[in-house]
């Protein structure tokens, strides 16, 4: 359909079709939030076109912002002077957002002629900066215009690739001739490739007063950051879908968009990508760039130095000229991650670094949560948030995401393995290491020894055979843990910096990968016991380090060096004492015991984002209850309540296309209250089964029933099977059960869909399918149960989190101490538990209604849903239609009438 321009007030919003009224309201409110520099919490149910509303609303604001800025630039360049200090002109703010304010406050009592001179100079400097920026913008636009045809890119990339290969061939021949002709003395012999395992001479930040200058070719590619919008979501598939929506929008042909991703998703070097682990890929990539810089520096130095064996080769895809071409091609036409990857392979240019080079000139940057919300990752990627706009989509789990990103757990097995590896590494290379390296390595060994000791173990014994005298869970503040571990005298900040800069974990990984083949025959017997010990320590139950939420990473192997994971724990211990806790979990054997850092205050990592950005938008399909965002994330980050704007729109469906019911008692008048104490009672499980049988008799197509956990679903399924209820259900609907394994989900969904489709075409006893699912499981988020796939969603009980969890108890206590208690409201800790429950409920019941003509019934089986504070936490478009039924008879009658009328009219 042809693009249409919608006028809301005085603002024009281009749109690919005539928008719904709620989309117009959404775009108008979004525009006002961005213009005023607010923090917006936006809720728009799935199926209401949220992505297009975000795209057209935000890019319309950016279009107008850039137009105002160009007009003000033209005015200033025409007059040749900047705005006067006493002018109340917002145009100064437009220019200062990227250029820096023109006016500098002058000291009181300064002579008038000095003030006037300084003011004139500042105005001239501003005009000069504007001219330079205008020249850069014109140069960039001309460059991108030349790249509109892909043929030019292909020819240029091919020509440069051929030149690179020829030059590399000549250099290789020259090196071979030099090595053959020169017989220089060599230092102590190491096996082939072992030289790169030795850590280089280390200098701390205090000793390095001047940073190394960047390469000239990198400077040439640096550009001024234009005002832009950073859009982030949880998974790469969600980001790809958003990019697809941008392409379809009226802005698809003109917007300069770049997609960012992890090295694992964008690496085109097969040797590096084959390492599998995220951490290993990152370390190898950084190491290869370091080798490139060292080679360049070595080539420029004239003085001959001690020859070292050949280091890790530089990455052939890290070529600035090729990456510059890839950058321009990425900006010339909207591309998703897969297209960027294909482009990098074609041009033999690194998409990971090439896409980063495109950030300054891009108007819209699409990236995963972790790249924006983790400060170190953000800095490494070259992301600058000053006066920019950030949109965080699918943000219902934002607090949990930030908390999980900065929480880390290490096992006794990992601690012992890291200690053994590092000890043997020092024995092997100790004579080649500088004093400062040895000092830091000994500190790391000491830390590992004390961590094992605080768990009650002995670092010198096999953790698999060590039994702990004391078991249970102990929770400590960070300072108390440091004192108890006797490591309060160690500067963890310096140790953390050393680990990052020396890349000791990667060196250690290389050592453990190859030591068996590296060591000479006389040394192998010495380390034979070490080899067996390492094999016995291979962790079987240890989780891999936290990685970006991405479907493709499910099968990634664990890092072979446990020190990589322990570095994250050391970094976490540098958090402020009040913002985190350490949980000591002793589980009988040392190998299964763990140390876990728990972040209590995610706002400390979100504060910099809201402080630097011009505006932040937190959006999602189900954002209720929003009190968590306001209190835990924004208020704790120092955001004033006046700066926060809430917007929640209704659904596009007619109000009578949804029937939400709260059923308070069952068929036998048994009160429905599936608490932890009552839910496993036979009569409660029977009542749920009988209600489900009746619902399956009157609801056509698919019914999705959610339970609070996999274990409870297993118990209910076994009870129904034993009592015959499962057979009665199977006579009405074919039964499917959510698998625990992620790779089986697609298979189950396909069979479920085909069954419903087949039942719709045939007339018989079975009228569809019943899918038994778990709240927070594979089916409760991101799955589309539209039309006949989800005509009824049933929620058995309220899925409260485990209140006995030490982590949850500490979080509740922290909130009770930190947040004020509102009059007439529950304590913040108790409110957190209820909010976690209702967020999970809202995500699950939101699976059904997916488009304007869809219809479904929602059945909440628990009388606690009827309480006003609980009802208030349902999405507004559902809450307005909820009917509370005290008994089952009127409820099943309402469901039967609803589906009979809707099926007849559809």
């Amino acid at each position: 359909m042809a693009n249409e321009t919608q006028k809301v007030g005085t603002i024009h919003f281009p749109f690919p079709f005539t928008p719904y009224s709620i989309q117009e309201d959404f775009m108008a409110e979004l525009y006002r939030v961005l213009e005023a520099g607010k923090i917006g919490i936006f809720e728009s149910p799935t199926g209401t076109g949220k992505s297009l509303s975000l795209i057209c609303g935000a890019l319309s604001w950016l279009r107008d912002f850039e137009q105002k800025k160009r007009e003000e630039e033209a005015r200033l360049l025409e007059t040749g002077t900047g705005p006067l200090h006493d002018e109340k002109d917002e145009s100064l703010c437009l220019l200062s957002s990227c250029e820096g304010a023109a006016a500098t406050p002058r000291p009181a009592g300064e002579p008038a002629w000095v003030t006037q001179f300084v003011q004139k100079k500042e105005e001239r400097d501003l005009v000069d900066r504007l001219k330079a920026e205008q020249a850069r913008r014109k140069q960039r636009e001309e460059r991108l215009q030349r790249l509109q045809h892909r043929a030019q890119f292909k020819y240029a990339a091919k020509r440069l690739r051929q030149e690179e290969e020829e030059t590399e061939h000549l250099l290789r021949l020259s090196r071979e001739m030099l090595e053959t002709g020169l017989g220089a003395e060599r230092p102590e012999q190491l096996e082939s490739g072992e030289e790169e395992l030795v850590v280089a001479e280390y200098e701390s930040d205090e000793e390095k007063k001047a940073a190394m200058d960047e390469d000239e070719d990198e400077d040439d590619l640096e550009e001024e950051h234009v005002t832009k919008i950073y859009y982030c979501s949880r998974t790469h598939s969600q980001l790809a879908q958003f990019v697809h929506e941008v392409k379809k929008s009226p802005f698809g042909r003109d917007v300069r968009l770049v997609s960012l991703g992890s090295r694992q998703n964008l690496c085109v070097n097969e040797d590096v990508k084959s390492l599998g682990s995220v951490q290993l890929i990152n370390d190898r990539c950084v190491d290869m760039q370091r080798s490139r810089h060292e080679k360049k520096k070595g080539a420029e130095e004239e003085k001959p130095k001690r020859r070292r064996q050949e280091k890790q080769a530089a990455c052939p895809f890290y070529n600035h000229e090729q990456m510059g071409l890839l950058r321009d091609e990425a900006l010339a036409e909207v591309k998703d991650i897969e297209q960027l990857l294909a482009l990098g392979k074609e041009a033999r240019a690194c998409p990971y670094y090439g896409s980063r080079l495109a950030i300054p000139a891009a108007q819209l940057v699409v990236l995963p949560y972790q790249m924006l919300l983790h400060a170190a990752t953000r800095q490494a990627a070259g992301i600058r948030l000053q006066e920019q706009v950030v949109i965080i989509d699918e943000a219902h789990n934002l607090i949990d995401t930030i908390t999980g990103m900065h929480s880390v757990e290490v096992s006794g097995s990992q601690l012992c393995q890291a200690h053994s590896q590092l000890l043997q590494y020092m024995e092997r290379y100790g004579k080649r290491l500088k004093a400062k390296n040895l000092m830091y390595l000994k500190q790391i060994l000491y830390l590992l020894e004390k961590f094992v000791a605080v768990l009650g173990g002995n670092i010198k014994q096999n953790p698999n055979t060590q039994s702990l005298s004391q078991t249970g869970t102990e929770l400590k503040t960070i300072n108390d843990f440091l004192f108890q571990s006797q490591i309060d005298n160690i500067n963890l900040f310096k140790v953390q910096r050393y680990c990052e800069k020396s890349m000791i974990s990667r060196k250690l990984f290389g050592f453990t990968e190859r030591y068996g083949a590296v060591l000479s025959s006389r040394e192998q017997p010495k380390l034979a016991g070490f080899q067996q010990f390492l094999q016995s320590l291979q962790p079987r139950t240890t989780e891999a380090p936290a990685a970006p939420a991405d479907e493709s990473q499910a099968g990634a192997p664990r890092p072979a060096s446990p020190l990589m994971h322990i570095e994250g724990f050391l970094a976490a211990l540098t958090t402020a004492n009040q913002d985190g806790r350490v949980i000591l979990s002793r589980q009988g054997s040392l190998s299964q015991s763990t140390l876990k850092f728990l972040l209590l205050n995610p706002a400390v990592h979100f504060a910099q984002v809201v402080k630097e950005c011009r505006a932040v938008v937190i959006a999602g399909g189900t954002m209720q209850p929003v009190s968590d965002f306001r209190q835990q994330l924004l208020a704790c980050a120092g955001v004033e309540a006046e700066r926060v704007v809430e917007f929640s729109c209704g659904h596009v469906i007619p109000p009578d296309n949804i029937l939400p019911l709260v059923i308070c008692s069952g068929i036998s008048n048994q009160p429905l209250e599936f608490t932890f104490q009552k839910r496993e009672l036979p009569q409660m499980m029977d009542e749920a089964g009988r209600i489900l049988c009746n619902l399956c008799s009157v609801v056509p197509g698919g019914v999705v029933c959610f339970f609070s956990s996999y274990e409870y679903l297993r118990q209910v399924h076994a009870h129904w099977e034993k009592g015959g209820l499962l057979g009665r259900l199977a006579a009405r609907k074919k039964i499917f059960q959510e698998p625990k394994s992620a790779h089986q989900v697609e298979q189950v969904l396909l069979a479920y869909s085909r069954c419903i489709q087949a039942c719709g075409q045939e007339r018989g006893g079975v009228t569809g399918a019943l899918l038994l699912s778990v709240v927070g499981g594979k089916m409760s988020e991101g799955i589309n149960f539209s039309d006949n796939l989800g005509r009824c969603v049933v929620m058995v009980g309220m899925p409260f989190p485990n209140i006995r969890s030490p982590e949850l108890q500490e979080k509740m206590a922290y909130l009770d101490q930190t947040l004020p208690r509102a009059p007439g409201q529950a304590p913040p800790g108790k409110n957190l538990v209820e909010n976690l429950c209702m967020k999970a409920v809202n995500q699950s019941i939101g699976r059904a209604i997916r488009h304007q003509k869809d219809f479904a019934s929602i059945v909440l089986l628990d009388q606690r849903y009827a309480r006003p504070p609980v009802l208030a936490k349902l999405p507004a478009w559902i809450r307005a239609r909820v009917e509370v039924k005290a008994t089952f008879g009127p409820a099943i009658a309402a469901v039967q009438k609803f589906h009979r009328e809707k099926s007849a009219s559809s």
Side-chain angles (χ1 to χ4, degrees):
M1 187 177 292
N3 293 333
E4 299 185 16
T5 300
Q6 301 299 315
K7 186 174 182 180
V8 181
T10 59
I11 308 165
H12 293 270
F13 294 105
F15 215 77
F17 49 81
T18 303
Y20 303 125
S21 60
I22 59 173
Q23 288 179 309
E24 293 180 343
D25 295 341
F26 187 107
M27 291 187 291
E29 187 63 24
L30 176 62
Y31 192 103
R32 284 191 286 269
V33 165
L34 301 186
E35 184 70 12
K38 302 278 188 178
I39 308 293
I41 303 175
F42 282 71
E43 182 180 53
S44 180
T46 304
T48 57
K50 169 170 61 71
S51 295
L52 268 177
S53 300
L54 282 171
I55 292 166
C56 297
L59 291 180
S60 293
W61 171 83
L62 185 61
R63 171 204 63 199
D64 293 347
F65 179 86
E66 290 178 343
Q67 180 61 30
K68 290 176 187 174
K69 186 177 176 183
R70 282 194 295 268
E71 290 173 357
E72 178 60 17
E73 284 179 3
R75 186 184 71 78
L76 291 175
L77 290 173
E78 183 179 353
T79 60
T81 60
L84 298 176
H85 290 271
D86 56 352
E87 286 182 356
K88 302 294 184 181
D89 191 352
E90 68 171 3
S91 61
L92 178 59
C93 298
L94 295 174
L95 298 175
S96 65
S97 64
C98 292
E99 301 295 336
T104 303
R106 305 307 308 163
E110 187 177 73
W113 67 269
V114 174
T115 304
Q116 189 177 15
F117 174 81
V118 172
Q119 179 181 331
K120 290 291 184 183
K121 184 178 184 304
E122 288 175 347
E123 290 172 354
R124 287 194 300 271
D125 290 344
L126 174 59
V127 171
D128 290 341
R129 285 198 300 271
L130 291 176
K131 288 179 179 177
E133 183 186 341
Q134 196 175 58
R136 283 195 300 269
R137 184 167 62 240
K138 184 178 179 182
Q139 185 180 17
R140 180 178 63 237
E141 289 171 354
E142 290 175 351
R143 190 174 66 236
L144 295 179
Q145 193 172 11
R146 290 196 300 268
L147 278 171
Q148 290 298 317
H149 303 289
R150 278 185 58 84
Q152 181 176 351
F153 173 74
K154 287 183 178 180
Y155 294 144
K158 184 177 179 181
R159 175 177 55 77
L160 284 171
R161 187 164 63 246
Q162 289 173 343
E163 291 176 0
E164 285 283 327
E165 290 172 354
E166 185 177 351
T167 303
E168 183 62 31
H169 176 67
L170 292 173
L171 286 173
R172 189 166 57 250
L173 289 176
S174 300
R175 282 195 297 267
E176 289 173 0
M177 291 173 62
L178 286 171
E179 289 173 0
T180 305
L182 296 176
E185 288 187 13
R186 295 185 179 275
E188 174 190 352
Q189 289 294 320
L190 291 177
E191 297 294 325
S192 175
E194 204 177 356
E195 183 75 36
E196 68 181 55
L197 299 179
V198 183
V199 288
E201 184 174 356
Y202 177 74
E203 291 180 306
S204 65
D205 287 349
E206 289 81 359
E207 294 168 318
K208 287 186 174 181
K209 296 300 182 183
M212 293 177 63
D213 293 332
E214 291 185 344
D215 293 333
E216 290 182 9
D217 49 4
E218 293 182 16
D219 289 335
D220 292 341
L221 290 171
E222 274 294 320
E223 291 188 63
E224 194 74 29
H225 282 241
V226 302
T227 301
K228 65 181 88 283
I229 296 165
Y230 287 99
Y231 171 90
C232 60
S233 191
R234 290 190 313 112
T235 66
H236 286 289
S237 61
Q238 289 170 340
L239 295 172
Q241 178 62 32
F242 178 81
V243 173
H244 181 66
E245 292 289 332
V246 173
K247 287 182 180 179
K248 293 193 304 182
S249 78
F251 297 91
R253 294 179 61 86
D254 301 321
V255 67
R256 298 191 302 277
L257 179 148
V258 63
S259 297
L260 302 182
S262 64
R263 285 182 174 91
Q264 190 182 41
N265 289 98
L266 286 174
C267 181
V268 290
N269 187 326
E270 292 300 329
D271 292 338
V272 177
K273 198 168 186 178
S274 63
L275 293 173
S277 161
V278 177
Q279 186 67 52
L280 296 181
I281 290 174
N282 288 345
D283 285 346
R284 179 62 60 83
C285 177
V286 172
D287 199 40
M288 293 175 87
Q289 306 327 314
R290 183 176 294 181
S291 295
R292 171 185 175 275
H293 291 299
E294 287 178 356
K295 284 182 178 181
K296 182 167 183 178
K297 181 180 177 182
E300 293 171 353
E301 291 177 353
E302 296 295 333
K303 295 181 181 179
K305 293 189 177 181
R306 185 183 65 163
R307 290 173 59 87
R308 294 176 68 108
Q309 297 199 8
E310 187 173 349
K311 295 193 173 192
Q312 171 71 48
C315 182
F317 297 92
Y318 191 82
N319 177 289
H320 281 282
E321 195 165 2
Q322 297 287 93
M323 290 191 300
L325 282 170
L326 186 142
R327 170 204 62 187
D328 293 341
E329 179 69 11
L331 292 173
E333 184 181 346
V334 173
K335 293 175 181 62
D336 60 22
I337 286 285
E338 295 302 321
Q339 291 171 316
L340 200 60
L341 194 64
L343 194 65
K345 291 177 180 177
E346 179 185 357
R348 287 188 62 81
C350 177
Y352 176 76
Y353 284 104
S355 58
R356 283 169 43 165
L357 292 175
I359 293 174
Q363 296 168 306
L364 180 58
V365 179
V366 179
L367 69 167
Y369 272 5
Q370 285 75 3
M371 198 168 280
L372 183 109
L373 298 175
H374 193 273
T377 308
R378 188 167 68 236
Q379 184 178 3
I383 295 169
R384 301 178 189 174
L385 297 182
Q386 197 69 39
E387 289 300 318
Q388 308 291 13
V389 170
V390 165
I391 297 176
I392 303 173
D393 201 1
E394 302 299 334
H396 53 274
N397 284 332
L398 179 60
I399 295 174
D400 293 338
T401 298
I402 298 174
T403 301
M405 203 183 301
H406 297 89
S407 298
V408 62
E409 185 174 22
V410 295
S411 69
S413 178
Q414 287 176 314
L415 294 169
C416 287
Q417 189 179 6
H419 187 276
S420 299
Q421 291 177 358
L422 197 56
L423 198 61
Q424 294 295 331
Y425 177 89
M426 284 183 63
E427 287 183 12
R428 171 66 179 163
Y429 303 120
K431 293 181 181 179
R432 302 176 66 89
L433 297 174
K434 300 294 183 182
K436 196 170 287 290
N437 276 316
L438 287 172
M439 179 193 75
Y440 278 111
L441 293 181
K442 286 178 180 178
Q443 283 188 350
I444 296 171
L445 285 171
Y446 178 78
L447 289 170
L448 296 173
E449 182 180 344
K450 291 301 181 182
F451 289 157
V452 170
V454 81
L455 284 172
N458 188 329
I459 198 73
K460 297 178 181 179
Q461 298 177 16
N462 191 322
N464 293 322
T465 58
Q466 280 191 69
S467 297
L468 303 183
S469 57
Q470 180 185 357
T471 59
T473 301
E474 191 178 0
L475 199 139
K476 299 279 184 184
T477 65
I478 298 174
N479 287 346
D480 287 346
F481 173 76
L482 296 179
F483 282 117
Q484 184 178 340
S485 303
Q486 299 176 358
I487 60 172
D488 53 295
N489 59 328
I490 297 219
N491 189 327
L492 293 179
F493 291 95
K494 286 189 174 183
V495 174
Q496 180 194 359
R497 259 196 315 270
Y498 173 77
C499 290
E500 290 174 359
K501 295 196 173 182
S502 68
M503 297 180 70
I504 180 60
S505 59
R506 201 205 71 78
K507 307 287 185 183
L508 199 57
F509 168 72
F511 170 67
T512 55
E513 276 280 284
R514 66 184 300 150
Y515 73 88
V518 166
L519 300 178
S520 61
S521 57
R522 65 182 174 85
E523 292 174 303
Q524 284 178 1
K526 180 181 175 182
L527 292 184
F530 167 60
Q531 183 175 5
Q532 294 176 358
F533 183 49
L534 284 185
Q535 290 173 352
S536 73
L537 291 179
Q538 289 300 325
R540 288 182 283 274
T541 59
T542 305
E543 293 183 359
D550 185 25
E551 303 84 354
S552 64
Q553 296 181 13
R558 298 184 182 94
S561 172
L563 189 59
M564 292 180 180
H565 198 44
I566 294 167
E567 284 179 8
F569 183 69
L570 292 175
L573 292 179
T574 61
T575 305
N577 183 58
Q578 70 273 14
D579 292 331
R581 297 289 183 271
V582 180
I583 301 172
L584 293 78
S585 178
R586 302 180 178 94
Q587 301 293 331
S589 73
L590 177 60
S591 62
Q592 295 176 333
S593 300
T594 60
L595 296 174
K596 180 177 181 179
F597 173 80
L598 174 67
L599 179 69
L600 295 178
N601 183 15
V604 297
H605 296 285
F606 196 63
Q608 189 176 6
V609 175
V610 295
K611 181 181 178 182
E612 292 185 2
C613 290
R614 173 194 177 95
V616 177
V617 174
I618 304 170
T622 50
M623 298 296 288
Q624 294 292 336
V626 298
S627 58
D628 284 354
F629 294 103
R630 276 187 168 273
Q631 295 173 358
Q632 294 184 46
L633 209 56
L634 300 178
C636 289
V639 178
E640 297 177 354
E642 297 76 25
R643 196 186 171 196
V644 182
V645 175
E646 287 183 35
F647 176 85
S648 180
C649 64
H651 213 294
V652 293
I653 60 168
D656 58 354
N657 272 24
I658 183 174
L659 178 66
L661 297 177
V662 175
I663 302 181
C664 298
S665 61
I667 297 172
S668 61
N669 288 325
Q670 168 78 36
L672 299 179
E673 192 167 355
F674 292 87
T675 61
F676 185 76
Q677 294 78 16
K678 296 179 182 179
R679 67 184 186 182
E680 294 177 15
L681 296 174
Q683 60 266 34
M684 293 300 295
M685 292 190 281
D686 286 338
E687 205 67 60
R690 286 193 290 266
I691 291 173
L692 206 53
C693 276
N694 279 269
L695 288 172
C696 288
S697 298
V698 299
V699 176
V703 176
V704 184
C705 182
F706 286 100
F707 294 83
S708 56
S709 68
Y710 284 104
E711 177 58 24
Y712 185 53
L713 171 56
R714 186 195 63 76
Q715 291 177 358
V716 171
H717 190 275
H719 181 78
W720 288 351
E721 189 173 31
K722 184 178 178 181
L725 266 169
L726 205 63
R728 289 168 55 189
L729 279 168
R732 293 167 172 82
K733 304 279 187 186
K734 186 172 181 179
I735 300 173
F736 294 86
Q737 195 167 340
E738 177 177 326
K740 279 191 175 182
S741 176
H743 71 271
Q744 294 178 331
V745 170
E746 197 66 37
Q747 182 181 347
V748 171
L749 284 174
L750 186 60
Y752 172 76
S753 176
R754 285 176 175 170
C755 175
I756 293 172
Q757 200 171 20
C759 292
Q761 296 168 354
E762 301 173 4
R763 297 293 178 185
V766 177
T767 61
L770 169 64
L771 180 59
L772 304 177
S773 305
V774 176
V775 175
K778 315 292 185 304
M779 309 288 191
S780 65
E781 188 174 335
I783 303 296
N784 186 349
F785 291 116
S786 63
D787 300 319
N788 278 339
L789 295 183
R791 287 305 181 199
C792 181
V793 176
V794 182
M795 182 69 61
V796 179
M798 296 185 71
F800 282 103
N802 181 10
I803 196 68
R804 299 175 183 175
S805 160
E807 291 95 330
L808 183 57
Q809 288 182 348
E810 190 63 24
K811 179 76 172 180
M812 291 170 64
Y814 172 80
L815 293 178
D816 286 339
Q817 295 169 6
T818 307
L819 298 178
R821 181 175 179 177
Q825 297 290 323
K830 185 179 179 182
N831 199 41
L832 166 72
V833 175
E834 204 165 80
N835 285 353
L836 289 172
C837 170
M838 291 309 296
K839 279 181 183 292
V841 169
N842 292 341
Q843 276 299 304
S844 299
I845 64 179
R847 300 304 93 210
I849 304 292
R850 312 301 285 183
H851 58 84
Q852 187 180 22
K853 296 182 180 179
D854 208 352
F855 65 90
S857 54
I858 295 171
V859 179
L860 306 175
L861 298 182
D862 201 304
Q863 63 182 5
R864 291 174 293 175
Y865 283 111
R867 291 171 17 215
V870 176
L871 286 175
K873 294 177 181 180
L874 289 169
W877 62 280
I878 294 178
R879 183 171 65 241
R881 302 288 297 176
V882 168
E883 298 178 23
V884 178
K885 302 293 184 182
T887 57
F888 181 72
I892 193 67
V895 173
Q896 186 174 20
K897 179 185 177 186
F898 173 81
H899 284 285
R900 186 173 59 242
E901 292 176 353
K902 290 301 168 187
S903 298
S905 61
S906 61

